[in-house]
Amino acid sequence: MFRIIFLGVLAALFFSSTFVLNRAMSLEGGHWVWSASLRYFWMLVMLFGWLAATGKGRLAADSVRLFARHWVFWTVAGSVGFGVFYALITFSSVFAPGWVVAATWQTTILAAPLVLLGFGRRVPLKALALTALIFAGVVLINLEQATESGLHEVLLGALPVLVAAFAYPFGNQLVWEARRGEKSYLPHIDHPAMDDPFCRVLLLTIGSLPLWFALIAVTAPPLPSTGQLIQTAIVAACSGVVATSLFLVARNTAGSTAELAAADCTQSMEVVFSLAGEAILLGHVMPGLMGWLGIALTMGGLMLYITVQSRT
């Protein structure tokens, strides 16, 4: 359990770059569609390059063949788990500070057990009840934000994240279930490439490409600036490759539903890392009393959740 939690917290550190840099690009006038899609275009280049540089070129080729063999599955899993999730997260950064988006994103801790239940997995109800603390913290943070920026901005900043909170664990759980081959409605994908976290990220990234091309075609955003190209490359490396791979390692190391939920739960640390990053890099002021109380509830709920899960 300790290894799973450690890897999850380390992933949260790298994930936090997403919220900070997405907010920075938004404040600089960068279109959210480019902030979202360019990350995955960069990831595609980086993942192929990494696999080739580490002598895993054969696995990269196997991944492409695996995608072609199960292209419907990977397009659905990638479009939902990577595409819908990140498009909505990036859209929200236009209307809310990065740390607020990160805090609202913690509703994925509530969403993840519900996704598990939807796939017929057992979830300890005692631990699930503790997610109410985390949700209460998210509500307080957004209430404070509403007094500063208005209800309209808060809704546009929060509601898309709530949908994204379900999309991400759903896409990842599809992959988890496909590896085990226990669901008749999903393909059983038993291949050495599935044991490599970079290959799994590569397959989900390829699967998300149709959604990105569709979004670009529909929104027709102005061309990205050089700064946006650079910042999306940083996000792709830190969050898309390093953090996602660490998180998938933690999740796929899990041997039970309790350990799976604990891995998902470590994402709460993104709030702390995002808050610190925005204060240092963007000069944002610290949250008020209600915001700090919300953060305390979120983190307290995290600690209790992990404790209960580890005892279950």
Side-chain angles (χ1 to χ4, degrees):
M1 178 71 84
F2 174 79
R3 182 171 182 268
I4 291 171
I5 293 173
F6 174 76
L7 289 172
V9 171
L10 192 60
L13 173 62
F14 285 97
F15 270 134
S16 65
S17 65
T18 293
F19 304 105
V20 176
L21 292 180
N22 279 348
R23 182 59 173 173
M25 287 184 280
S26 175
L27 294 175
E28 293 167 2
H31 199 283
W32 66 270
V33 169
W34 286 123
S35 296
S37 59
L38 282 172
R39 161 182 162 167
Y40 287 91
F41 296 153
W42 279 117
M43 280 176 59
L44 199 62
V45 175
M46 292 176 181
L47 287 166
F48 274 117
W50 172 261
L51 290 171
T54 54
K56 297 180 179 179
R58 182 176 178 180
L59 277 180
D62 287 344
S63 298
V64 173
R65 284 191 288 269
L66 203 56
F67 176 84
R69 192 179 308 159
H70 303 286
W71 67 272
V72 173
F73 170 80
W74 289 112
T75 299
V76 172
S79 294
V80 176
F82 277 11
V84 172
F85 143 68
Y86 198 64
L88 294 175
I89 287 288
T90 311
F91 176 80
S92 295
S93 68
V94 178
F95 303 97
W99 74 270
V100 174
V101 175
T104 307
W105 167 244
Q106 301 319 307
T107 51
T108 194
I109 296 165
L110 174 61
L114 296 178
V115 169
L116 290 172
L117 287 172
F119 279 95
R121 301 293 174 180
R122 297 181 61 185
V123 177
L125 294 180
K126 185 184 296 185
L128 184 59
L130 290 173
T131 61
L133 286 177
I134 299 168
F135 187 74
V138 169
V139 170
L140 285 178
I141 290 167
N142 280 280
L143 283 175
E144 180 182 83
Q145 194 65 20
T147 63
E148 297 178 1
S149 57
L151 181 61
H152 178 72
E153 285 74 13
V154 168
L155 289 177
L156 289 175
L159 291 181
V161 183
L162 294 178
V163 178
F166 282 87
Y168 188 66
F170 182 81
N172 278 302
Q173 190 63 27
L174 281 174
V175 178
W176 196 84
E177 298 288 352
R179 290 186 70 200
R180 279 148 185 79
E182 298 173 0
K183 305 296 182 184
S184 60
Y185 53 85
L186 293 176
H188 181 200
I189 307 178
D190 184 17
H191 190 279
M194 294 292 285
D195 297 327
D196 190 293
F198 289 99
C199 289
R200 293 195 298 273
V201 174
L202 175 60
L203 284 160
L204 287 168
T205 300
I206 297 173
S208 72
L209 293 181
L211 179 65
W212 300 126
F213 288 127
L215 273 176
I216 293 170
V218 170
T219 60
L223 292 176
S225 65
T226 302
Q228 194 171 19
L229 287 170
I230 294 172
Q231 289 180 84
T232 51
I234 295 173
V235 172
C238 292
S239 182
V241 178
V242 177
T244 303
S245 298
L246 285 171
F247 181 66
L248 288 180
V249 169
R251 223 172 176 278
N252 285 283
T253 300
S256 66
T257 300
E259 290 180 341
L260 273 174
D264 292 332
C265 191
T266 58
Q267 292 174 91
S268 284
M269 289 300 295
E270 293 167 11
V271 182
V272 176
F273 296 136
S274 297
L275 181 60
E278 282 199 299
I280 296 170
L281 299 177
L282 303 181
H284 285 181
V285 296
M286 292 288 104
L289 178 60
M290 190 180 296
W292 281 117
L293 180 58
I295 292 174
L297 284 174
T298 300
M299 300 305 298
L302 165 66
M303 295 300 107
L304 289 172
Y305 188 89
I306 292 175
T307 299
V308 171
Q309 290 284 43
S310 64
R311 292 177 179 175
T312 302

